[in-house]
Protein backbone atom coordinates (compact mmCIF):
# COMPACT_ATOMS: atom_id res chain seq x y z
CA UNK A 1 0.00 0.00 0.00
CA UNK A 2 1.61 3.26 -1.14
CA UNK A 3 1.82 5.94 1.53
CA UNK A 4 0.79 9.57 1.54
CA UNK A 5 3.49 12.01 2.70
CA UNK A 6 2.19 12.38 6.26
CA UNK A 7 3.06 10.96 9.65
CA UNK A 8 1.58 11.11 13.11
CA UNK A 9 1.46 9.24 16.37
CA UNK A 10 -0.47 7.07 17.00
CA UNK A 11 -1.89 7.77 13.50
CA UNK A 12 -2.04 10.64 11.01
CA UNK A 13 -4.97 13.02 11.53
CA UNK A 14 -6.28 15.75 9.25
CA UNK A 15 -9.08 18.15 8.46
CA UNK A 16 -10.87 17.76 5.14
CA UNK A 17 -13.96 19.74 4.13
CA UNK A 18 -14.58 21.70 7.34
CA UNK A 19 -15.40 25.33 6.59
CA UNK A 20 -12.82 27.64 8.20
CA UNK A 21 -15.74 29.65 9.63
CA UNK A 22 -16.60 26.62 11.80
CA UNK A 23 -13.11 26.03 13.19
CA UNK A 24 -13.54 26.88 16.86
CA UNK A 25 -11.50 24.21 18.68
CA UNK A 26 -9.86 23.83 22.10
CA UNK A 27 -6.62 25.76 22.14
CA UNK A 28 -7.68 28.24 19.46
CA UNK A 29 -10.06 31.15 19.88
CA UNK A 30 -10.64 32.79 16.48
CA UNK A 31 -10.82 36.56 16.23
CA UNK A 32 -12.79 38.67 13.74
CA UNK A 33 -9.53 39.58 12.04
CA UNK A 34 -8.49 36.01 11.30
CA UNK A 35 -8.60 35.06 7.63
CA UNK A 36 -9.86 31.65 6.50
CA UNK A 37 -6.25 30.58 6.04
CA UNK A 38 -5.42 31.76 9.58
CA UNK A 39 -8.33 29.77 10.97
CA UNK A 40 -7.43 26.59 9.12
CA UNK A 41 -3.78 26.68 10.14
CA UNK A 42 -4.45 27.60 13.76
CA UNK A 43 -7.02 24.80 14.09
CA UNK A 44 -4.60 22.29 12.55
CA UNK A 45 -1.89 23.29 15.02
CA UNK A 46 -4.30 23.15 17.98
CA UNK A 47 -5.52 19.69 16.97
CA UNK A 48 -2.10 18.34 16.06
CA UNK A 49 -3.12 17.72 12.45
CA UNK A 50 -0.67 16.19 10.00
CA UNK A 51 -2.54 17.28 6.86
CA UNK A 52 -5.40 19.48 5.70
CA UNK A 53 -7.47 19.73 2.54
CA UNK A 54 -7.21 23.08 0.75
CA UNK A 55 -9.87 23.85 -1.89
CA UNK A 56 -7.95 24.99 -4.95
CA UNK A 57 -10.68 27.42 -5.99
CA UNK A 58 -10.74 29.34 -2.70
CA UNK A 59 -9.27 32.86 -2.88
CA UNK A 60 -7.25 32.11 0.26
CA UNK A 61 -5.88 28.76 -0.98
CA UNK A 62 -2.37 30.00 -1.80
CA UNK A 63 -1.96 31.70 1.58
CA UNK A 64 -3.19 28.56 3.34
CA UNK A 65 -0.65 26.35 1.55
CA UNK A 66 2.26 28.61 2.56
CA UNK A 67 1.10 28.84 6.18
CA UNK A 68 0.38 25.11 6.48
CA UNK A 69 3.84 24.25 5.18
CA UNK A 70 5.40 26.69 7.64
CA UNK A 71 3.45 24.96 10.43
CA UNK A 72 4.58 21.49 9.38
CA UNK A 73 1.13 20.47 8.09
CA UNK A 74 0.87 18.82 4.66
CA UNK A 75 -1.55 20.66 2.33
CA UNK A 76 -3.69 18.37 0.16
CA UNK A 77 -4.90 20.34 -2.88
CA UNK A 78 -8.54 19.67 -3.75
CA UNK A 79 -9.55 19.92 -7.41
CA UNK A 80 -13.09 19.35 -8.66
CA UNK A 81 -13.52 16.41 -10.99
CA UNK A 82 -14.82 16.78 -14.56
CA UNK A 83 -17.91 14.55 -14.31
CA UNK A 84 -20.50 16.61 -12.47
CA UNK A 85 -20.23 19.80 -14.54
CA UNK A 86 -20.94 17.60 -17.58
CA UNK A 87 -23.89 15.94 -15.85
CA UNK A 88 -25.39 19.18 -14.54
CA UNK A 89 -25.19 21.06 -17.82
CA UNK A 90 -27.72 18.49 -19.11
CA UNK A 91 -29.79 18.56 -15.93
CA UNK A 92 -29.02 16.09 -13.16
CA UNK A 93 -31.46 13.34 -14.10
CA UNK A 94 -30.90 13.65 -17.84
CA UNK A 95 -27.14 13.87 -17.34
CA UNK A 96 -27.02 10.73 -15.23
CA UNK A 97 -29.25 8.96 -17.73
CA UNK A 98 -26.89 9.99 -20.53
CA UNK A 99 -24.05 8.11 -18.83
CA UNK A 100 -26.11 4.99 -19.59
CA UNK A 101 -27.65 5.87 -22.95
CA UNK A 102 -24.79 7.83 -24.55
CA UNK A 103 -21.65 7.05 -22.56
CA UNK A 104 -19.17 7.84 -25.32
CA UNK A 105 -20.51 11.36 -25.89
CA UNK A 106 -20.51 12.03 -22.15
CA UNK A 107 -16.94 10.74 -22.11
CA UNK A 108 -16.02 13.20 -24.87
CA UNK A 109 -17.50 16.07 -22.83
CA UNK A 110 -15.46 14.97 -19.83
CA UNK A 111 -12.36 14.81 -22.04
CA UNK A 112 -12.89 18.45 -23.03
CA UNK A 113 -12.67 19.49 -19.38
CA UNK A 114 -9.51 17.60 -18.50
CA UNK A 115 -7.08 20.37 -19.45
CA UNK A 116 -8.70 22.69 -16.90
CA UNK A 117 -8.33 20.10 -14.16
CA UNK A 118 -4.73 19.42 -15.17
CA UNK A 119 -4.02 23.14 -14.89
CA UNK A 120 -5.32 23.11 -11.31
CA UNK A 121 -3.01 20.19 -10.54
CA UNK A 122 -0.06 22.12 -11.96
CA UNK A 123 -1.04 25.19 -9.92
CA UNK A 124 -0.99 23.10 -6.76
CA UNK A 125 2.41 21.66 -7.58
CA UNK A 126 3.83 25.16 -8.05
CA UNK A 127 2.37 26.19 -4.71
CA UNK A 128 4.16 23.32 -2.96
CA UNK A 129 1.25 21.06 -2.00
CA UNK A 130 1.94 17.49 -0.89
CA UNK A 131 -0.93 15.61 -2.55
CA UNK A 132 -3.86 16.07 -4.92
CA UNK A 133 -7.45 15.27 -3.96
CA UNK A 134 -9.78 14.72 -6.91
CA UNK A 135 -13.28 15.48 -5.62
CA UNK A 136 -16.00 13.67 -7.51
CA UNK A 137 -19.12 12.15 -5.95
CA UNK A 138 -19.52 8.77 -7.58
CA UNK A 139 -21.82 7.17 -5.00
CA UNK A 140 -24.54 7.70 -2.45
CA UNK A 141 -25.22 5.98 0.84
CA UNK A 142 -26.46 2.78 -0.75
CA UNK A 143 -24.02 2.53 -3.65
CA UNK A 144 -22.89 4.06 -6.96
CA UNK A 145 -24.66 7.07 -8.50
CA UNK A 146 -23.31 6.14 -11.91
CA UNK A 147 -23.05 2.71 -13.47
CA UNK A 148 -19.76 0.96 -12.66
CA UNK A 149 -19.42 0.09 -16.36
CA UNK A 150 -19.43 3.79 -17.27
CA UNK A 151 -16.99 4.64 -14.48
CA UNK A 152 -14.59 1.90 -15.54
CA UNK A 153 -14.81 2.51 -19.31
CA UNK A 154 -15.12 6.29 -19.58
CA UNK A 155 -14.25 7.94 -16.29
CA UNK A 156 -11.41 6.18 -14.50
CA UNK A 157 -9.10 5.97 -17.55
CA UNK A 158 -9.33 9.76 -17.72
CA UNK A 159 -8.73 10.02 -13.99
CA UNK A 160 -5.67 7.86 -14.55
CA UNK A 161 -4.23 10.53 -16.84
CA UNK A 162 -4.70 13.12 -14.09
CA UNK A 163 -3.02 10.79 -11.61
CA UNK A 164 -0.12 10.24 -14.00
CA UNK A 165 0.30 13.99 -14.54
CA UNK A 166 0.31 14.56 -10.78
CA UNK A 167 2.76 11.70 -10.29
CA UNK A 168 5.12 13.27 -12.78
CA UNK A 169 5.10 16.32 -10.49
CA UNK A 170 5.82 14.16 -7.46
CA UNK A 171 2.28 14.27 -6.08
CA UNK A 172 0.20 11.23 -5.02
CA UNK A 173 -3.54 11.38 -5.59
CA UNK A 174 -6.57 10.76 -3.39
CA UNK A 175 -10.11 10.28 -4.68
CA UNK A 176 -12.87 11.89 -2.64
CA UNK A 177 -16.42 10.64 -3.02
CA UNK A 178 -19.43 10.62 -0.78
CA UNK A 179 -21.17 7.32 -0.21
CA UNK A 180 -20.24 3.69 -0.71
CA UNK A 181 -17.71 3.30 -3.53
CA UNK A 182 -16.81 -0.33 -2.78
CA UNK A 183 -17.82 -1.57 -6.28
CA UNK A 184 -15.23 0.81 -7.77
CA UNK A 185 -12.31 0.37 -5.36
CA UNK A 186 -10.21 -1.96 -7.51
CA UNK A 187 -10.70 0.28 -10.55
CA UNK A 188 -9.76 3.31 -8.44
CA UNK A 189 -6.57 1.55 -7.37
CA UNK A 190 -5.76 0.57 -10.98
CA UNK A 191 -6.11 4.22 -11.97
CA UNK A 192 -3.22 4.96 -9.62
CA UNK A 193 -4.90 6.56 -6.62
CA UNK A 194 -3.25 5.76 -3.30
CA UNK A 195 -6.23 6.53 -1.05
CA UNK A 196 -9.90 7.36 -0.92
CA UNK A 197 -11.55 9.93 1.30
CA UNK A 198 -14.73 8.33 2.60
CA UNK A 199 -17.12 11.24 2.41
CA UNK A 200 -20.40 11.95 4.13
CA UNK A 201 -23.45 9.74 4.28
CA UNK A 202 -21.95 6.56 5.71
CA UNK A 203 -22.81 5.07 9.08
CA UNK A 204 -20.10 3.16 10.93
CA UNK A 205 -21.13 -0.25 9.58
CA UNK A 206 -20.82 0.93 5.98
CA UNK A 207 -17.62 2.83 6.73
CA UNK A 208 -16.09 -0.26 8.32
CA UNK A 209 -16.94 -2.38 5.28
CA UNK A 210 -15.47 0.27 2.99
CA UNK A 211 -12.29 0.49 5.07
CA UNK A 212 -11.55 -3.22 4.92
CA UNK A 213 -12.47 -3.45 1.24
CA UNK A 214 -10.12 -0.54 0.48
CA UNK A 215 -7.29 -2.23 2.35
CA UNK A 216 -7.87 -5.37 0.28
CA UNK A 217 -7.66 -3.23 -2.88
CA UNK A 218 -4.39 -1.67 -1.71
CA UNK A 219 -5.87 1.75 -0.90
CA UNK A 220 -5.53 3.81 2.25
CA UNK A 221 -8.64 5.48 3.64
CA UNK A 222 -9.03 9.03 4.94
CA UNK A 223 -11.94 9.61 7.31
CA UNK A 224 -13.67 7.73 10.10
CA UNK A 225 -14.86 10.54 12.37
CA UNK A 226 -18.38 10.40 11.01
CA UNK A 227 -20.51 13.53 11.21
CA UNK A 228 -23.57 11.43 12.04
CA UNK A 229 -21.84 10.43 15.29
CA UNK A 230 -20.82 13.96 16.31
CA UNK A 231 -24.25 15.08 17.49
CA UNK A 232 -23.37 14.88 21.18
CA UNK A 233 -20.21 14.38 23.27
CA UNK A 234 -20.92 10.78 24.31
CA UNK A 235 -21.45 9.56 20.75
CA UNK A 236 -18.42 11.54 19.57
CA UNK A 237 -16.19 9.90 22.16
CA UNK A 238 -17.59 6.47 21.27
CA UNK A 239 -16.87 6.83 17.54
CA UNK A 240 -13.44 8.22 18.36
CA UNK A 241 -12.56 5.21 20.49
CA UNK A 242 -13.80 2.84 17.79
CA UNK A 243 -11.86 4.59 15.03
CA UNK A 244 -8.75 4.75 17.18
CA UNK A 245 -8.79 0.96 17.45
CA UNK A 246 -9.42 0.58 13.69
CA UNK A 247 -6.48 2.88 12.93
CA UNK A 248 -4.14 0.46 14.69
CA UNK A 249 -4.59 -1.91 11.74
CA UNK A 250 -2.88 0.66 9.50
CA UNK A 251 -4.09 2.21 6.28
CA UNK A 252 -6.36 4.75 8.00
CA UNK A 253 -5.68 8.47 8.10
CA UNK A 254 -8.20 9.67 10.66
CA UNK A 255 -10.22 12.71 9.62
CA UNK A 256 -13.69 14.17 9.40
CA UNK A 257 -15.93 12.79 6.68
CA UNK A 258 -16.57 16.16 5.05
CA UNK A 259 -20.10 16.59 6.38
CA UNK A 260 -19.50 18.96 9.30
CA UNK A 261 -21.66 22.11 9.19
CA UNK A 262 -21.77 23.41 12.79
CA UNK A 263 -19.35 24.59 15.47
CA UNK A 264 -20.76 22.02 17.89
CA UNK A 265 -19.80 19.26 15.46
CA UNK A 266 -16.28 20.69 15.29
CA UNK A 267 -16.03 20.72 19.10
CA UNK A 268 -17.28 17.15 19.22
CA UNK A 269 -14.76 16.24 16.51
CA UNK A 270 -12.04 17.39 18.89
CA UNK A 271 -13.50 15.14 21.61
CA UNK A 272 -13.62 12.22 19.18
CA UNK A 273 -10.00 12.81 18.21
CA UNK A 274 -8.89 12.81 21.86
CA UNK A 275 -10.73 9.53 22.41
CA UNK A 276 -9.18 8.03 19.28
CA UNK A 277 -5.67 8.93 20.37
CA UNK A 278 -6.31 7.39 23.77
CA UNK A 279 -7.53 4.06 22.35
Amino acid sequence: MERLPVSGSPFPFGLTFVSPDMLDVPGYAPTPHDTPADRLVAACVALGASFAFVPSGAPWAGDAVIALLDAGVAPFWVVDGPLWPVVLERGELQGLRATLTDPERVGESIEARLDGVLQQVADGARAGVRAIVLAEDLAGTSGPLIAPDFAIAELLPRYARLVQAAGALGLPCVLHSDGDVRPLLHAIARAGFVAVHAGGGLDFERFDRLFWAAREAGLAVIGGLLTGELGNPARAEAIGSTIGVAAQAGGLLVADDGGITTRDEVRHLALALTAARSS
Side-chain angles (χ1 to χ4, degrees):
M1 182 181 296
E2 192 171 343
R3 294 176 61 88
L4 287 162
V6 294
S7 61
S9 180
F11 47 74
F13 163 75
L15 292 172
T16 69
F17 293 107
V18 184
S19 169
D21 292 341
M22 299 294 109
L23 289 174
D24 183 358
V25 300
Y28 167 56
T31 75
H33 302 292
D34 289 349
T35 67
D38 292 335
R39 288 172 176 262
L40 177 59
V41 176
C44 285
V45 171
L47 293 172
S50 302
F51 64 94
F53 285 15
V54 178
S56 61
W60 46 267
D63 291 340
V65 169
I66 293 169
L68 287 167
L69 291 169
D70 286 345
V73 181
F76 287 10
W77 191 247
V78 181
V79 300
D80 291 333
L83 171 65
W84 277 95
V86 170
V87 168
L88 293 176
E89 70 187 3
R90 291 166 165 80
E92 183 172 349
L93 291 178
Q94 290 183 342
L96 289 173
R97 188 178 298 118
T99 65
L100 296 172
T101 61
D102 198 2
E104 291 184 2
R105 182 167 296 180
V106 175
E108 290 170 0
S109 296
I110 291 169
E111 180 78 24
R113 292 181 174 271
L114 283 181
D115 284 347
V117 183
L118 287 167
Q119 182 60 56
Q120 293 177 62
V121 170
D123 291 344
R126 281 194 295 271
V129 304
R130 296 294 182 258
I132 300 296
V133 180
L134 181 66
E136 193 91 273
D137 285 338
L138 304 179
T141 303
S142 58
L145 291 172
I146 60 170
D149 286 350
F150 173 81
I152 292 168
E154 298 291 343
L155 199 55
L156 283 160
R158 292 180 168 94
Y159 288 175
R161 287 165 49 197
L162 297 173
V163 172
Q164 290 164 6
L169 297 169
L171 298 173
C173 286
V174 175
L175 179 67
H176 158 80
S177 174
D178 285 348
D180 190 349
V181 294
R182 279 180 296 157
L184 299 174
L185 287 173
H186 285 280
I188 290 168
R190 286 195 299 272
F193 292 96
V194 301
V196 292
H197 174 235
L202 297 180
D203 58 19
F204 177 73
E205 182 179 355
R206 288 189 175 93
F207 173 81
D208 191 53
R209 290 199 296 261
L210 174 64
F211 170 59
W212 291 106
R215 280 176 54 87
E216 193 276 330
L219 293 164
V221 173
I222 298 173
L225 299 183
L226 308 173
T227 303
E229 302 299 322
L230 301 180
N232 63 63
R235 290 178 64 188
E237 289 179 344
I239 189 64
S241 295
T242 300
I243 291 301
V245 172
Q248 294 174 20
L252 177 60
L253 286 71
V254 175
D256 62 282
D257 66 3
I260 287 176
T261 58
T262 70
R263 287 183 172 83
D264 279 346
E265 289 168 346
V266 171
R267 295 185 187 106
H268 296 160
L269 174 76
L271 291 175
L273 176 61
T274 297
R277 285 173 169 157
S278 300
S279 296

